Amino acid sequence: MSGEAAVVWDDALAAYDFGVGHPLAPIRVQLAMHLVRELVALRRATPALSARESTRLVHAGYPLAYVRGGTHLVVVNPRREPAVLDAPECRGATVVHGRGAAVTEDG
């Protein structure tokens, strides 16, 4: 997938409840927006992440990790508990991570 995405957001939207069991439960929406804000902050703090480079997913759980442009390993953890990612396949990459995430290359 490529291209840009736009998200319309206001904190008041998190107050809307679609009902029990709906995938857009308020807490899920709040966590998703927290993750988006953290990723945007990382991109602003690291200009290399804003380049239109290839992205390769490294870990799809928690923490979320991907390699951008073959040079930067980005790791974010939206959970409250700290998370450690063992990523020996990314040895030598510049590691950029948000709060609550650490990376090892032990393998």
Side-chain angles (χ1 to χ4, degrees):
M1 180 185 295
S2 63
E4 295 184 16
V7 176
V8 176
W9 178 253
D10 185 283
D11 287 332
L13 295 173
Y16 188 83
D17 191 344
F18 287 96
V20 177
H22 192 280
L24 287 178
I27 188 65
R28 287 184 174 182
V29 174
Q30 290 168 352
L31 290 172
M33 290 312 300
H34 174 76
L35 178 60
V36 167
R37 287 181 181 124
E38 189 164 345
L39 287 170
V40 168
L42 286 173
R43 285 183 68 173
R44 287 183 177 153
T46 311
L49 298 180
S50 294
R52 294 190 181 268
E53 299 288 337
S54 63
T55 301
R56 179 175 56 89
L57 188 64
V58 175
H59 190 261
Y62 296 109
L64 169 69
Y66 62 92
V67 173
R68 185 68 176 247
T71 59
H72 287 74
L73 173 64
V74 179
V75 182
V76 291
N77 179 31
R79 292 189 168 178
R80 293 179 188 207
E81 305 84 31
V84 176
L85 175 70
D86 185 28
E89 71 273 21
C90 298
R91 190 168 277 120
T94 301
V95 177
V96 179
H97 58 80
R99 292 177 314 213
V103 178
T104 67
E105 296 177 350
D106 298 338

